[in-house]
Amino acid sequence: MPASRRRSPPCRPPCPPCRRQAADASSTSDRYGEGINEGLAAYNAAAWSLVGLTRTAALDWGRYQIASNLLLPLADTPELRRSHERRPGVIDLMIGQLPLGRLGDPVEGIGAAALFLAGDACAFVNGEVIHADGGQHVAGPVLNPARFG
């Protein structure tokens, strides 16, 4: 069969103990992974690949009762605070575009979403992108840091 017609191998099968019991595989990315931003081609490609990888894992691992989902958080982190110190106007604009008007608490906001994904309430959710971003994903274009120098 020509190489162009070969089917790509599935994600690596989960370990044998995982095959015997239901499990969960979740990963995280950020809002730029779902937007297209000028000047950020490599970053956009890498971020979008997480969506594809998550959905491929959902198909490949579903037979083992392993759900695979992607969490896209926007959290108040030390890194974001340092960015705010360097470029307060840009970060203030970003926070101002959030429908909830604030960043997520890493434990209470983002951690709760992660616990939901890992818990029994999410056992039938598979291949989904979960936004824990204060509504940023519905608020319009993402601020492009490449435009702010």
Side-chain angles (χ1 to χ4, degrees), residues 25-35 47-56 58 68-73 113 116-117 122 125-133 137-138:
S26 296
S27 50
T28 61
S29 184
D30 60 49
R31 169 74 157 79
Y32 291 105
E34 286 203 326
W48 268 101
S49 70
L50 288 175
V51 174
L53 180 61
T54 298
R55 292 184 173 160
T56 300
S68 299
N69 298 293
L70 179 63
L71 177 61
L72 299 182
F116 165 71
L117 284 171
C122 198
V125 177
N126 191 24
E128 288 298 323
V129 176
I130 307 296
H131 300 271
D133 64 0
H137 70 285
V138 296

Side-chain angles (χ1 to χ4, degrees), residues 14-25 61-68 117-120 122-124:
C15 62
C18 294
R19 292 180 194 172
R20 284 185 237 121
Q21 60 184 4
D24 170 50
W61 294 355
R63 74 188 87 183
Y64 303 110
Q65 299 302 302
I66 297 173
S68 299
L117 284 171
D120 291 340
C122 198
F124 200 64

